[in-house]
Amino acid sequence: MKTRLWFLLFVLSLAGAGCTHTEISPQGPAYDAELSNFEYPRPVHFLELSSQGQRLRMAFMLAEPAKANGRTVLLLHGKNFSGHYWEPTTAALVAKGYRVLVPDQIGFGKSSKPGSYQYSFHQLAALTEQLMNHLKIDKISVVGHSMGGMLATRMALMYPTRVEKLALVNPIGLEDWKTVVPYATVDEVYAGELKADEASIREYQKNSYFGGQWKPEYEKHIDVLAGWTRHPDYPKVAWVAALTSDMIFTQPVLYEFSNIRAPTLLIIGQRDRTALGKARAPASVRSSLGNYPELGRKTARAIPKASLVEIREAGHMPQVEQFSVYMDALSHFLE
Protein backbone atom coordinates (compact mmCIF):
# COMPACT_ATOMS: atom_id res chain seq x y z
CA MET A 1 0.00 0.00 0.00
CA LYS A 2 2.83 2.42 0.88
CA THR A 3 4.52 1.64 -2.44
CA ARG A 4 1.34 2.42 -4.38
CA LEU A 5 0.85 5.68 -2.47
CA TRP A 6 4.47 6.73 -3.08
CA PHE A 7 4.12 5.97 -6.79
CA LEU A 8 0.88 7.97 -7.05
CA LEU A 9 2.47 10.97 -5.36
CA PHE A 10 5.47 10.70 -7.67
CA VAL A 11 3.27 10.68 -10.81
CA LEU A 12 1.28 13.66 -9.54
CA SER A 13 4.50 15.57 -8.86
CA LEU A 14 5.67 14.97 -12.42
CA ALA A 15 2.32 16.15 -13.79
CA GLY A 16 2.59 19.30 -11.72
CA ALA A 17 6.14 19.92 -12.88
CA GLY A 18 5.06 19.77 -16.51
CA CYS A 19 2.14 22.22 -16.00
CA THR A 20 3.65 25.03 -13.99
CA HIS A 21 0.93 27.55 -14.87
CA THR A 22 -2.14 25.31 -14.99
CA GLU A 23 -4.47 24.62 -12.11
CA ILE A 24 -6.98 21.83 -12.46
CA SER A 25 -10.04 21.50 -10.25
CA PRO A 26 -12.22 18.38 -10.12
CA GLN A 27 -14.68 20.20 -12.40
CA GLY A 28 -12.19 21.27 -15.09
CA PRO A 29 -9.41 23.79 -15.82
CA ALA A 30 -9.05 26.83 -13.60
CA TYR A 31 -7.91 30.09 -15.17
CA ASP A 32 -6.23 32.98 -13.39
CA ALA A 33 -7.47 36.55 -13.77
CA GLU A 34 -5.40 37.31 -16.87
CA LEU A 35 -5.71 33.90 -18.52
CA SER A 36 -1.98 33.24 -18.41
CA ASN A 37 -2.71 29.51 -18.70
CA PHE A 38 -5.25 29.80 -21.53
CA GLU A 39 -3.86 29.70 -25.06
CA TYR A 40 -5.17 32.07 -27.71
CA PRO A 41 -5.27 31.02 -31.38
CA ARG A 42 -2.65 33.62 -32.40
CA PRO A 43 0.35 35.27 -30.76
CA VAL A 44 -0.69 37.74 -28.07
CA HIS A 45 1.08 41.08 -27.67
CA PHE A 46 0.76 43.65 -24.92
CA LEU A 47 0.65 47.43 -24.95
CA GLU A 48 1.89 48.98 -21.70
CA LEU A 49 -0.44 51.78 -20.68
CA SER A 50 -0.66 54.47 -18.04
CA SER A 51 -4.30 55.13 -17.27
CA GLN A 52 -5.97 56.71 -14.25
CA GLY A 53 -2.69 56.65 -12.35
CA GLN A 54 -2.12 52.93 -12.93
CA ARG A 55 0.23 50.86 -15.04
CA LEU A 56 -1.88 48.53 -17.17
CA ARG A 57 -1.37 46.02 -19.97
CA MET A 58 -3.71 45.75 -22.93
CA ALA A 59 -3.56 42.40 -24.73
CA PHE A 60 -4.14 42.19 -28.45
CA MET A 61 -3.69 40.00 -31.51
CA LEU A 62 -2.73 41.47 -34.87
CA ALA A 63 -3.28 39.23 -37.88
CA GLU A 64 -1.44 40.14 -41.08
CA PRO A 65 -2.63 38.91 -44.50
CA ALA A 66 -0.27 37.38 -47.04
CA LYS A 67 -1.57 39.82 -49.65
CA ALA A 68 -2.83 43.01 -48.02
CA ASN A 69 -5.69 45.05 -49.45
CA GLY A 70 -4.60 48.11 -47.45
CA ARG A 71 -7.49 48.08 -44.97
CA THR A 72 -7.71 47.19 -41.28
CA VAL A 73 -10.65 45.72 -39.37
CA LEU A 74 -10.99 46.13 -35.60
CA LEU A 75 -12.95 43.39 -33.81
CA LEU A 76 -14.47 44.32 -30.43
CA HIS A 77 -15.57 41.52 -28.11
CA GLY A 78 -18.65 41.27 -25.89
CA LYS A 79 -18.80 41.39 -22.10
CA ASN A 80 -18.87 37.62 -21.58
CA PHE A 81 -16.15 37.03 -24.15
CA SER A 82 -12.49 37.67 -24.94
CA GLY A 83 -10.68 38.32 -28.20
CA HIS A 84 -9.97 34.66 -28.90
CA TYR A 85 -13.57 33.88 -29.90
CA TRP A 86 -13.19 36.09 -32.99
CA GLU A 87 -10.80 33.60 -34.64
CA PRO A 88 -13.17 32.27 -37.36
CA THR A 89 -13.98 35.86 -38.38
CA THR A 90 -10.31 36.84 -38.18
CA ALA A 91 -9.23 33.96 -40.42
CA ALA A 92 -11.92 34.74 -42.99
CA LEU A 93 -11.02 38.43 -43.12
CA VAL A 94 -7.27 37.77 -43.34
CA ALA A 95 -7.93 35.45 -46.28
CA LYS A 96 -9.60 38.40 -48.01
CA GLY A 97 -6.56 40.63 -47.48
CA TYR A 98 -7.61 42.55 -44.38
CA ARG A 99 -5.29 43.32 -41.52
CA VAL A 100 -7.22 42.39 -38.36
CA LEU A 101 -6.74 43.89 -34.89
CA VAL A 102 -8.31 41.99 -31.99
CA PRO A 103 -7.81 43.57 -28.55
CA ASP A 104 -8.92 42.45 -25.12
CA GLN A 105 -10.31 45.56 -23.48
CA ILE A 106 -8.95 46.58 -20.08
CA GLY A 107 -10.92 44.48 -17.60
CA PHE A 108 -11.34 41.55 -20.00
CA GLY A 109 -9.49 38.51 -21.31
CA LYS A 110 -5.72 38.65 -20.91
CA SER A 111 -5.68 42.40 -20.20
CA SER A 112 -5.22 43.99 -16.79
CA LYS A 113 -8.22 43.99 -14.48
CA PRO A 114 -7.91 47.00 -12.18
CA GLY A 115 -10.41 46.91 -9.35
CA SER A 116 -10.27 50.65 -8.67
CA TYR A 117 -10.98 52.13 -12.09
CA GLN A 118 -13.57 54.35 -13.74
CA TYR A 119 -14.81 52.01 -16.46
CA SER A 120 -16.61 53.83 -19.26
CA PHE A 121 -17.10 53.34 -22.96
CA HIS A 122 -15.35 56.65 -23.52
CA GLN A 123 -12.32 55.42 -21.59
CA LEU A 124 -12.19 52.06 -23.38
CA ALA A 125 -12.55 53.81 -26.74
CA ALA A 126 -9.69 56.18 -25.87
CA LEU A 127 -7.44 53.26 -24.91
CA THR A 128 -8.34 51.46 -28.13
CA GLU A 129 -7.41 54.57 -30.11
CA GLN A 130 -4.13 54.63 -28.20
CA LEU A 131 -3.51 51.06 -29.38
CA MET A 132 -4.25 52.13 -32.96
CA ASN A 133 -1.77 54.98 -32.65
CA HIS A 134 0.85 52.62 -31.25
CA LEU A 135 0.41 50.36 -34.28
CA LYS A 136 0.28 53.36 -36.65
CA ILE A 137 -3.23 52.48 -37.84
CA ASP A 138 -5.04 55.52 -39.20
CA LYS A 139 -8.44 54.38 -40.44
CA ILE A 140 -10.39 51.27 -39.53
CA SER A 141 -13.62 49.42 -40.06
CA VAL A 142 -15.03 48.45 -36.67
CA VAL A 143 -17.00 45.29 -35.95
CA GLY A 144 -18.56 45.04 -32.49
CA HIS A 145 -20.49 42.15 -31.00
CA SER A 146 -22.74 42.36 -27.93
CA MET A 147 -21.12 44.86 -25.50
CA GLY A 148 -18.55 45.43 -28.24
CA GLY A 149 -21.36 46.96 -30.26
CA MET A 150 -21.83 49.65 -27.62
CA LEU A 151 -18.08 50.31 -27.61
CA ALA A 152 -17.93 50.31 -31.42
CA THR A 153 -20.75 52.86 -31.49
CA ARG A 154 -18.91 55.06 -29.01
CA MET A 155 -15.75 54.86 -31.13
CA ALA A 156 -17.67 55.87 -34.25
CA LEU A 157 -19.06 58.87 -32.36
CA MET A 158 -15.72 59.91 -30.82
CA TYR A 159 -13.52 59.32 -33.87
CA PRO A 160 -15.73 59.87 -36.94
CA THR A 161 -12.78 60.62 -39.24
CA ARG A 162 -11.05 57.35 -38.34
CA VAL A 163 -13.96 54.91 -38.42
CA GLU A 164 -14.69 54.16 -42.07
CA LYS A 165 -17.40 51.57 -41.53
CA LEU A 166 -19.31 50.25 -38.51
CA ALA A 167 -20.75 46.74 -38.20
CA LEU A 168 -22.84 45.81 -35.17
CA VAL A 169 -23.45 42.11 -34.54
CA ASN A 170 -26.34 41.62 -32.11
CA PRO A 171 -25.20 44.63 -30.08
CA ILE A 172 -26.62 45.13 -26.63
CA GLY A 173 -27.78 48.56 -25.52
CA LEU A 174 -30.47 48.93 -28.17
CA GLU A 175 -32.90 49.74 -25.35
CA ASP A 176 -32.42 51.71 -22.15
CA TRP A 177 -32.87 49.15 -19.38
CA LYS A 178 -32.48 51.63 -16.54
CA THR A 179 -35.83 53.17 -17.48
CA VAL A 180 -37.69 49.93 -16.70
CA VAL A 181 -35.34 47.73 -14.65
CA PRO A 182 -34.68 48.53 -10.95
CA TYR A 183 -31.06 49.50 -10.32
CA ALA A 184 -28.75 46.97 -8.67
CA THR A 185 -25.68 48.37 -6.94
CA VAL A 186 -22.20 47.20 -7.86
CA ASP A 187 -22.09 45.32 -4.56
CA GLU A 188 -25.33 43.53 -5.35
CA VAL A 189 -24.17 42.59 -8.83
CA TYR A 190 -20.84 41.42 -7.38
CA ALA A 191 -22.64 39.15 -4.92
CA GLY A 192 -24.53 37.63 -7.84
CA GLU A 193 -21.35 37.18 -9.89
CA LEU A 194 -19.73 35.26 -7.02
CA LYS A 195 -22.51 32.67 -7.24
CA ALA A 196 -21.79 31.86 -10.89
CA ASP A 197 -20.62 28.41 -11.86
CA GLU A 198 -20.40 26.35 -15.02
CA ALA A 199 -24.04 25.23 -14.82
CA SER A 200 -25.47 28.72 -14.30
CA ILE A 201 -23.29 30.19 -17.06
CA ARG A 202 -24.42 27.50 -19.49
CA GLU A 203 -28.08 27.99 -18.55
CA TYR A 204 -27.89 31.76 -19.03
CA GLN A 205 -26.29 31.49 -22.46
CA LYS A 206 -28.67 28.74 -23.51
CA ASN A 207 -31.75 30.81 -22.73
CA SER A 208 -30.54 34.31 -23.62
CA TYR A 209 -28.08 33.66 -26.44
CA PHE A 210 -29.27 30.52 -28.18
CA GLY A 211 -33.05 30.63 -27.88
CA GLY A 212 -33.25 27.76 -25.40
CA GLN A 213 -31.10 25.45 -27.55
CA TRP A 214 -27.69 24.05 -26.59
CA LYS A 215 -25.21 22.04 -28.64
CA PRO A 216 -21.87 20.46 -27.66
CA GLU A 217 -19.99 22.92 -29.87
CA TYR A 218 -21.22 25.82 -27.72
CA GLU A 219 -19.27 24.51 -24.72
CA LYS A 220 -16.07 26.25 -25.82
CA HIS A 221 -17.80 29.61 -25.45
CA ILE A 222 -18.27 29.12 -21.71
CA ASP A 223 -14.85 27.58 -21.09
CA VAL A 224 -13.12 30.77 -19.97
CA LEU A 225 -16.04 32.00 -17.86
CA ALA A 226 -16.38 28.64 -16.10
CA GLY A 227 -12.62 28.31 -15.67
CA TRP A 228 -12.42 31.67 -13.95
CA THR A 229 -14.98 30.57 -11.35
CA ARG A 230 -12.70 27.66 -10.33
CA HIS A 231 -9.62 29.79 -9.65
CA PRO A 232 -8.68 31.69 -6.45
CA ASP A 233 -8.53 34.87 -8.60
CA TYR A 234 -12.26 34.70 -9.29
CA PRO A 235 -13.31 37.38 -6.75
CA LYS A 236 -11.09 39.83 -8.67
CA VAL A 237 -12.67 38.83 -11.99
CA ALA A 238 -16.18 38.98 -10.49
CA TRP A 239 -15.59 42.47 -9.10
CA VAL A 240 -14.49 43.82 -12.48
CA ALA A 241 -17.47 42.07 -14.09
CA ALA A 242 -19.74 43.94 -11.67
CA LEU A 243 -18.06 47.26 -12.50
CA THR A 244 -18.43 46.72 -16.24
CA SER A 245 -22.05 45.61 -15.83
CA ASP A 246 -22.70 48.94 -14.17
CA MET A 247 -20.99 50.67 -17.10
CA ILE A 248 -23.32 48.94 -19.55
CA PHE A 249 -26.45 49.62 -17.51
CA THR A 250 -25.78 53.31 -16.86
CA GLN A 251 -24.16 54.42 -20.15
CA PRO A 252 -26.64 53.84 -23.01
CA VAL A 253 -25.61 54.87 -26.51
CA LEU A 254 -28.95 54.51 -28.29
CA TYR A 255 -29.85 58.19 -27.84
CA GLU A 256 -26.92 59.10 -30.10
CA PHE A 257 -27.56 56.70 -32.98
CA SER A 258 -28.72 59.58 -35.18
CA ASN A 259 -25.25 61.15 -34.87
CA ILE A 260 -23.40 58.21 -36.43
CA ARG A 261 -21.93 59.22 -39.77
CA ALA A 262 -20.21 55.99 -40.82
CA PRO A 263 -22.02 53.53 -43.08
CA THR A 264 -23.42 50.97 -40.65
CA LEU A 265 -24.43 47.33 -40.90
CA LEU A 266 -26.66 45.66 -38.34
CA ILE A 267 -26.50 41.85 -38.27
CA ILE A 268 -29.27 40.64 -36.00
CA GLY A 269 -29.94 37.05 -34.98
CA GLN A 270 -33.70 36.89 -34.56
CA ARG A 271 -33.81 34.45 -31.61
CA ASP A 272 -31.74 36.72 -29.34
CA ARG A 273 -33.46 37.79 -26.13
CA THR A 274 -30.52 39.29 -24.23
CA ALA A 275 -31.36 42.11 -21.81
CA LEU A 276 -29.27 43.24 -18.86
CA GLY A 277 -31.16 42.92 -15.59
CA LYS A 278 -34.16 41.18 -17.16
CA ALA A 279 -34.64 39.04 -14.05
CA ARG A 280 -35.08 42.22 -11.95
CA ALA A 281 -37.64 43.76 -14.28
CA PRO A 282 -41.31 43.85 -13.32
CA ALA A 283 -43.20 40.88 -14.72
CA SER A 284 -45.35 43.26 -16.78
CA VAL A 285 -42.36 44.31 -18.95
CA ARG A 286 -39.95 41.40 -18.60
CA SER A 287 -41.18 39.49 -21.63
CA SER A 288 -40.89 42.57 -23.86
CA LEU A 289 -37.18 43.15 -23.12
CA GLY A 290 -34.53 41.92 -25.52
CA ASN A 291 -36.91 41.67 -28.48
CA TYR A 292 -34.16 41.75 -31.10
CA PRO A 293 -36.34 41.52 -34.22
CA GLU A 294 -38.08 44.71 -33.13
CA LEU A 295 -34.94 46.38 -31.71
CA GLY A 296 -32.92 45.71 -34.86
CA ARG A 297 -35.49 47.37 -37.12
CA LYS A 298 -35.89 50.33 -34.77
CA THR A 299 -32.12 50.86 -34.65
CA ALA A 300 -31.76 50.59 -38.43
CA ARG A 301 -34.27 53.42 -38.74
CA ALA A 302 -32.38 55.54 -36.20
CA ILE A 303 -28.91 55.33 -37.80
CA PRO A 304 -28.72 57.49 -40.95
CA LYS A 305 -26.68 55.17 -43.21
CA ALA A 306 -27.75 51.81 -41.82
CA SER A 307 -28.57 48.54 -43.49
CA LEU A 308 -30.05 45.55 -41.69
CA VAL A 309 -29.46 41.85 -42.17
CA GLU A 310 -31.79 39.61 -40.18
CA ILE A 311 -30.72 36.01 -39.59
CA ARG A 312 -33.74 33.95 -38.70
CA GLU A 313 -32.06 30.82 -37.34
CA ALA A 314 -29.62 32.57 -34.99
CA GLY A 315 -29.61 34.14 -31.57
CA HIS A 316 -27.07 36.37 -29.85
CA MET A 317 -24.15 34.79 -31.72
CA PRO A 318 -24.95 34.55 -35.43
CA GLN A 319 -21.19 34.21 -36.04
CA VAL A 320 -21.47 30.83 -34.29
CA GLU A 321 -24.87 29.53 -35.36
CA GLN A 322 -24.93 30.79 -38.96
CA PHE A 323 -21.33 31.65 -39.77
CA SER A 324 -21.57 31.53 -43.56
CA VAL A 325 -24.65 33.78 -43.68
CA TYR A 326 -23.09 36.17 -41.17
CA MET A 327 -19.73 36.22 -42.95
CA ASP A 328 -21.29 36.78 -46.37
CA ALA A 329 -23.15 39.81 -45.01
CA LEU A 330 -20.08 41.22 -43.27
CA SER A 331 -17.77 40.64 -46.26
CA HIS A 332 -20.20 42.26 -48.70
CA PHE A 333 -20.52 45.28 -46.41
CA LEU A 334 -16.78 45.72 -45.89
CA GLU A 335 -15.99 45.34 -49.59
Side-chain angles (χ1 to χ4, degrees), residues 35-160:
L35 299 179
S36 63
N37 56 335
F38 181 85
E39 186 175 355
Y40 275 25
R42 296 176 186 267
V44 177
H45 311 279
F46 292 90
L47 174 63
E48 302 290 333
L49 297 164
S50 177
S51 179
Q52 299 183 20
Q54 302 178 63
R55 296 300 301 174
L56 305 174
R57 296 201 316 163
M58 187 175 187
F60 65 94
M61 293 178 286
L62 183 62
E64 301 281 2
K67 186 177 180 181
N69 63 14
R71 297 178 60 196
T72 301
V73 178
L74 171 67
L75 303 180
L76 298 177
H77 62 75
K79 180 181 184 296
N80 291 325
F81 307 94
S82 309
H84 71 279
Y85 84 131
W86 278 118
E87 179 56 25
T89 299
T90 300
L93 290 174
V94 167
K96 293 179 177 293
Y98 294 97
R99 192 184 196 200
V100 183
L101 175 60
V102 191
D104 282 346
Q105 295 300 318
I106 294 298
F108 298 86
K110 288 181 176 288
S111 293
S112 299
K113 295 176 178 60
S116 298
Y117 196 75
Q118 178 59 50
Y119 287 94
S120 71
F121 288 114
H122 287 80
Q123 176 69 87
L124 297 184
L127 294 178
T128 304
E129 192 209 22
Q130 192 171 335
L131 175 61
M132 290 171 54
N133 293 339
H134 170 74
L135 296 171
K136 296 179 171 54
I137 296 172
D138 182 23
K139 296 182 183 297
I140 50 168
S141 292
V142 185
V143 181
H145 168 244
S146 193
M147 180 202 77
M150 295 183 76
L151 177 56
T153 300
R154 181 55 60 202
M155 288 200 68
L157 292 165
M158 289 174 65
Y159 310 112

Side-chain angles (χ1 to χ4, degrees), residues 232-286:
D233 280 356
Y234 185 59
K236 176 181 179 180
V237 175
W239 177 249
V240 172
L243 294 176
T244 53
S245 288
D246 194 76
M247 171 185 75
I248 294 169
F249 191 82
T250 61
Q251 299 176 29
V253 295
L254 75 160
Y255 301 113
E256 299 169 74
F257 282 153
S258 63
N259 296 326
I260 295 174
R261 294 294 171 258
T264 302
L265 171 67
L266 287 157
I267 300 178
I268 304 295
Q270 298 295 284
R271 287 192 285 104
D272 193 359
R273 294 299 180 268
T274 303
L276 198 66
K278 182 185 286 190
R280 301 194 305 272
S284 59
V285 300
R286 190 178 304 147

Side-chain angles (χ1 to χ4, degrees), residues 23-33 35 37-38 79-82 84 193-205 214 218-235 237-238 241:
E23 296 191 25
I24 302 294
S25 77
Q27 295 78 35
Y31 302 129
D32 62 24
L35 299 179
N37 56 335
F38 181 85
K79 180 181 184 296
N80 291 325
F81 307 94
S82 309
H84 71 279
E193 292 283 355
L194 288 177
K195 296 176 183 177
D197 58 19
E198 180 178 329
S200 67
I201 293 166
R202 182 183 295 107
E203 190 66 15
Y204 172 77
Q205 293 202 7
W214 192 257
Y218 300 162
E219 288 290 322
K220 62 185 176 182
H221 298 293
I222 68 169
D223 184 27
V224 166
L225 297 174
W228 266 330
T229 68
R230 305 183 190 112
H231 195 279
D233 280 356
Y234 185 59
V237 175

